[in-house]
Amino acid sequence: MKLATLKTAARDGRLAVVNRELTRARSVPEIAPTLQAALDGWALIEPRLAQAYRELNGGECESEPFDPRQAAAPLPRAYQWLDGSAYLSHVERVRKARGADMPKRLYDDPLMYQGASDVMLGGCDPIMAASEDWGVDFEAEVGVITDDVPYGISADQAASHIKLIVLINDISLRHLIPDELAKGFGFLHGKPASAFSPVAVTPDELNDAWCDSKLHLPLTVHWNGRLFGRANAGADMQFDFARLIAHAAKTRKLAAGTIIGSGTVSNDDPVAGYSCIVEKRVVETIETGAASTEFLRFGDRVRIEMLDSKGLSVFGAIDQEVRPCR
Amino acid sequence: MKLATLKTAARDGRLAVVNRELTRARSVPEIAPTLQAALDGWALIEPRLAQAYRELNGGECESEPFDPRQAAAPLPRAYQWLDGSAYLSHVERVRKARGADMPKRLYDDPLMYQGASDVMLGGCDPIMAASEDWGVDFEAEVGVITDDVPYGISADQAASHIKLIVLINDISLRHLIPDELAKGFGFLHGKPASAFSPVAVTPDELNDAWCDSKLHLPLTVHWNGRLFGRANAGADMQFDFARLIAHAAKTRKLAAGTIIGSGTVSNDDPVAGYSCIVEKRVVETIETGAASTEFLRFGDRVRIEMLDSKGLSVFGAIDQEVRPCR
């Protein structure tokens, strides 16, 4: 099943099912007005959404054209956004970039931060920044959305709480991060609003590509139309999503609609390219003594997408332009 | 105006106005079903709530008894919870406790962390912990709730976005925090769900006690019935709430319903007592070479309250018992 939130005057938009090819949408106010409302009662609502999805794909109901530019984030505001760092080649490279060491425990104990969830960007919304000097970077990620997760759940039990999967651009302001992390309380200024794929999909929609709580497909990243990365999200993921959920729930329950990100998708082999600029800069520095790739400029575009084995866009593309805030 | 969210089967409860003495409540579904809905349209809704509040205080309408045990957190789930550290005597003492230094910049640049907001506890809900060995501690704080705050707002402009004021118990698991902060991404396990006063109040309700975006009243903390602290929240607050909001909004806008905490209220003079256990332990260690006060045990109770100049409870009491999770 594929779901989107269409932009309306309301803060939470309007829930719609979207067909497999991402060309037609059907609003479902009779089932649930918003995605959060659907997640709040998922066990009862999911079968009805699935039925509407089957009818849409079969051409058995009214529908409207689906325009990804009219899609808000699946949850335009969410009650929780936690981002892991499951790909350790990313963690190693980024820490090297800011001169931080790589403690051994990070191979067993996931890094995860609590992100801002009050404003989530749609896939085609601009990246607003007050200054290019902040070092604007993208981070292409996979994320999951859960239903209610009990306190202290095990990783084995956590997998069944993954209800939807999305792509994420976890926008980062690189030059603000080192000082901020040095203060010891995590990210605040360095991680402004994140952007989400136009469509969220259920695990069954991914067939064999969803296995062991990982998504085994390449995540393509284009920067100003040029391929920048094509790392496989199923490879080199040290902590699968079930493990990340269990980590998050160690001392508390998680409410329905919790979004958990994988962290920047990254493969050990640099031939896959990169899902963020800073990794490329680190490799350049190692190879040539200096980074030659600059961070994003106003007017730059970044496009993040995942195609299935038949070449079909699974989630629609995150496709954003960087714009000055004022 | 005083507002509460009454517990119902719905996740967001039911909005009510509560009279000044906190004895009577009036549900206002004709104005706004929930506090979030009220905040989403505050400019239009606030005058209608104020009218309902006047009628309730004048005995001019139907009402029901107000039982603080039936009050959820004003926002039972919120889109954003950011906690500052505005009282530097707290910061100094806590950092000393975990062997961290006190960089000079912390006197100019507020510490702030992004907290979990998907589950907020009512003022009389239990503090659930899987183990006493986690070092369960309370932190008595003041917090504000905003409407929509623009990107990059100045502190001068931020004050007008403070719509409601609450008390908070920012529950902390002390023994999990040092390792967690050493990982560099801030709090996750060490800060489980926070608890909120039964009632949220508008700034005008506080009269002269609300001045310069600070709340000038003593915050009393009782532990198992004994007075533990009585620090004045208006004294020794290095960063007022307007400054904290501006700090939070440096690289992004903040959505309506954002909660911003003061951090543990703390006065430089230890005669005021403490608003968390760890501060007392640090002072004991300095004075005697070892901390003698233990952290919370199952069955312990903590009560956090603020009385006005006439001895009236402004927000109702946070009054919680610590219970084992299973």
Side-chain angles (χ1 to χ4, degrees):
Chain A
M1 180 163 62
K2 300 194 175 189
L3 298 171
T5 293
L6 305 180
K7 291 182 178 182
T8 68
R11 290 173 186 257
D12 299 306
R14 185 173 73 227
L15 180 63
V17 292
V18 179
N19 68 347
R20 195 161 287 124
E21 295 75 24
L22 305 180
T23 55
R24 307 290 302 177
R26 172 188 172 182
S27 295
V28 285
E30 72 285 6
I31 302 175
T34 66
L35 182 55
Q36 183 63 53
L39 289 159
D40 287 349
W42 191 251
L44 292 174
I45 288 171
E46 186 274 338
R48 299 179 61 201
L49 291 174
Q51 174 65 21
Y53 181 64
R54 279 191 297 273
E55 291 169 7
L56 176 64
N57 281 304
E60 301 155 28
C61 61
E62 298 276 310
S63 66
E64 58 185 315
F66 176 65
D67 177 357
R69 289 168 300 183
Q70 290 307 310
L75 292 169
R77 50 183 181 172
Y79 295 109
Q80 181 153 250
W81 154 232
L82 292 163
D83 200 9
S85 283
Y87 300 89
L88 295 188
S89 50
H90 170 75
V91 180
E92 288 164 359
R93 289 173 189 143
V94 170
R95 292 180 79 94
K96 201 169 282 180
R98 60 166 196 266
D101 63 347
M102 181 74 183
K104 276 228 171 76
R105 60 180 297 204
L106 294 188
Y107 295 89
D108 303 311
D109 179 25
L111 272 173
M112 183 174 281
Y113 76 90
Q114 188 94 34
S117 57
D118 61 319
V119 177
M120 300 305 212
L121 303 180
C124 301
D125 291 347
I127 298 169
M128 307 300 287
S131 171
E132 290 175 330
D133 296 340
W134 284 349
V136 185
D137 197 359
F138 47 84
E139 290 196 345
E141 309 193 357
V142 177
V144 299
I145 305 179
T146 73
D147 63 355
D148 290 296
V149 176
Y151 191 121
I153 198 167
S154 69
D156 283 350
Q157 295 169 309
S160 68
H161 293 280
I162 298 169
K163 299 307 176 189
L164 293 167
I165 299 152
V166 291
L167 302 184
I168 302 172
N169 183 7
D170 178 40
I171 298 149
S172 299
L173 304 174
R174 297 291 175 203
H175 297 327
L176 302 186
I177 288 177
D179 276 1
E180 180 156 275
L181 293 191
K183 289 167 71 181
F185 273 20
F187 299 101
L188 183 68
H189 296 151
K191 296 282 188 180
S194 299
F196 290 75
S197 53
V199 162
V201 310
T202 48
D204 64 293
E205 189 70 34
L206 298 161
N207 302 313
D208 295 347
W210 182 254
C211 178
D212 296 334
S213 297
K214 299 180 185 181
L215 180 45
H216 299 266
L217 286 172
L219 183 62
T220 59
V221 180
H222 287 83
W223 179 8
N224 291 335
R226 297 181 62 171
L227 184 68
F228 188 76
R230 199 176 174 279
N232 192 304
D236 307 321
M237 189 187 196
Q238 182 85 351
F239 310 107
D240 64 38
F241 282 108
R243 179 88 184 273
L244 294 176
I245 293 169
H247 182 78
K250 178 180 170 180
T251 64
R252 56 194 170 99
K253 58 186 175 179
L254 313 175
T258 290
I259 306 166
I260 298 197
S262 65
T264 308
V265 174
S266 178
N267 290 165
D268 297 345
D269 186 344
V271 79
Y274 307 99
S275 304
C276 65
I277 297 172
V278 75
E279 279 193 56
K280 184 160 199 279
R281 287 171 56 87
V282 172
V283 172
E284 287 168 351
T285 303
I286 293 167
E287 289 177 352
T288 71
S292 53
T293 305
E294 299 297 323
F295 290 112
L296 296 173
R297 296 286 177 190
F298 295 138
D300 278 7
R301 295 196 74 89
V302 56
R303 183 182 171 95
I304 298 166
E305 195 167 21
M306 188 173 262
L307 306 182
D308 68 13
S309 56
K310 295 171 189 154
L312 190 72
S313 182
V314 181
F315 303 91
I318 295 174
D319 190 354
Q320 300 184 274
E321 183 180 318
V322 186
R323 293 198 198 147
C325 199
R326 66 201 124 174
Chain B
M1 180 163 61
K2 299 193 176 191
L3 297 171
T5 293
L6 304 180
K7 291 182 178 183
T8 69
R11 289 172 186 259
D12 299 307
R14 186 174 72 227
L15 180 62
V17 291
V18 179
N19 69 346
R20 195 160 287 122
E21 296 75 23
L22 306 180
T23 56
R24 307 290 302 177
R26 173 187 172 183
S27 295
V28 286
E30 73 283 7
I31 302 176
T34 66
L35 181 56
Q36 184 64 53
L39 289 159
D40 286 349
W42 191 252
L44 292 174
I45 288 172
E46 187 273 337
R48 298 180 60 201
L49 291 174
Q51 174 66 21
Y53 181 63
R54 280 191 296 272
E55 290 169 7
L56 177 63
N57 280 304
E60 302 156 29
C61 62
E62 297 276 309
S63 67
E64 57 184 316
F66 176 65
D67 178 356
R69 290 168 300 183
Q70 291 308 309
L75 292 168
R77 49 183 181 173
Y79 295 108
Q80 180 154 250
W81 154 231
L82 292 164
D83 200 11
S85 283
Y87 299 89
L88 295 188
S89 51
H90 169 75
V91 180
E92 287 165 359
R93 289 174 189 144
V94 170
R95 291 180 80 94
K96 201 170 282 180
R98 60 166 198 266
D101 64 345
M102 181 75 184
K104 276 228 171 75
R105 60 181 295 205
L106 294 188
Y107 296 88
D108 303 311
D109 179 23
L111 272 173
M112 184 174 282
Y113 76 91
Q114 188 94 33
S117 57
D118 60 319
V119 176
M120 300 305 213
L121 303 179
C124 301
D125 290 348
I127 298 168
M128 306 301 286
S131 171
E132 290 175 330
D133 296 341
W134 284 348
V136 185
D137 197 358
F138 48 84
E139 289 195 346
E141 309 193 357
V142 177
V144 299
I145 306 178
T146 73
D147 63 356
D148 291 296
V149 176
Y151 192 121
I153 197 167
S154 69
D156 283 350
Q157 294 170 309
S160 67
H161 293 280
I162 298 169
K163 299 308 176 188
L164 292 168
I165 299 152
V166 290
L167 302 184
I168 302 172
N169 183 7
D170 178 39
I171 297 150
S172 299
L173 303 175
R174 295 292 175 202
H175 297 327
L176 303 186
I177 289 176
D179 276 2
E180 181 156 275
L181 293 191
K183 289 166 71 181
F185 274 20
F187 299 101
L188 183 68
H189 296 151
K191 296 280 189 181
S194 299
F196 289 74
S197 53
V199 161
V201 311
T202 47
D204 65 294
E205 189 71 34
L206 298 161
N207 302 313
D208 295 348
W210 182 254
C211 178
D212 295 333
S213 297
K214 299 180 185 181
L215 180 46
H216 298 264
L217 285 172
L219 183 62
T220 59
V221 180
H222 286 83
W223 179 9
N224 291 334
R226 297 181 61 170
L227 185 68
F228 188 76
R230 198 174 174 281
N232 192 304
D236 307 320
M237 190 186 196
Q238 182 85 350
F239 310 107
D240 64 37
F241 281 107
R243 180 88 183 273
L244 293 177
I245 293 170
H247 181 79
K250 178 180 169 179
T251 64
R252 56 194 170 99
K253 59 186 175 178
L254 313 176
T258 289
I259 306 168
I260 297 196
S262 64
T264 308
V265 174
S266 179
N267 289 166
D268 297 344
D269 186 344
V271 79
Y274 307 100
S275 303
C276 66
I277 297 173
V278 75
E279 278 192 58
K280 183 159 198 281
R281 287 171 56 85
V282 172
V283 173
E284 287 168 351
T285 303
I286 293 167
E287 288 178 352
T288 71
S292 53
T293 305
E294 300 297 324
F295 290 111
L296 296 173
R297 297 287 177 188
F298 294 139
D300 278 6
R301 294 197 74 90
V302 57
R303 183 182 171 96
I304 297 166
E305 196 167 19
M306 189 173 260
L307 307 183
D308 67 14
S309 56
K310 294 170 189 155
L312 191 73
S313 181
V314 180
F315 302 92
I318 294 174
D319 189 355
Q320 299 185 276
E321 182 180 319
V322 186
R323 292 197 199 149
C325 199
R326 61 201 130 178

